[in-house]
């Protein structure tokens, strides 16, 4: 297993004083999954991962909580 990478292409058109400026930004997004959280915790040498939970927030719709994880760490 590994994290999932995707790229979001953002394009914007700014109009100011009769000029039009077009911008394009490529934003790299990384989704972290439990095995990656565990690896990062162990690699730090300071933490051990105790548990992970899917972020089923009460404030966000369920479809926006996909691939969001909370990691519970214990200091070693």
């Amino acid at each position: 297993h590994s994290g999932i990478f995707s790229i979001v292409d953002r394009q914007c058109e700014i109009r100011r004083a009769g000029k039009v400026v077009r911008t394009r930004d490529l934003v790299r997004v990384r989704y972290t999954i439990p095995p990656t959280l565990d690896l990062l915790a162990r690699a730090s040498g300071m933490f051990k991962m105790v548990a992970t939970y899917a972020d089923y927030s009460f404030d966000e719709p369920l479809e926006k909580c996909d691939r969001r994880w909370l990691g519970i760490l214990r200091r070693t």
Side-chain angles (χ1 to χ4, degrees):
H1 298 282
S2 65
I4 299 170
F5 293 91
S6 62
I7 295 178
V8 177
D9 186 356
R10 306 266 318 193
Q11 296 184 23
C12 184
E13 189 173 277
I14 303 168
R15 297 170 186 251
R16 183 180 286 173
K19 290 183 173 180
V20 175
V21 177
R22 289 182 179 87
T23 64
R24 181 176 182 214
D25 298 306
L26 297 176
V27 181
R28 187 173 169 203
V29 178
R30 179 177 181 177
Y31 302 99
T32 304
I33 59 175
T36 306
L37 290 174
D38 183 41
L39 176 64
L40 293 171
R42 287 185 288 127
S44 74
M46 298 177 58
F47 298 99
K48 175 183 178 185
M49 189 170 71
V50 178
T52 56
Y53 300 94
D55 178 14
Y56 294 127
S57 173
F58 292 113
D59 299 328
E60 294 286 331
L62 188 60
E63 60 272 5
K64 289 188 176 182
C65 293
D66 185 35
R67 298 186 188 98
R68 288 177 36 179
W69 294 89
L70 301 175
I72 309 301
L73 305 178
R74 178 179 294 143
R75 189 178 297 267
T76 57

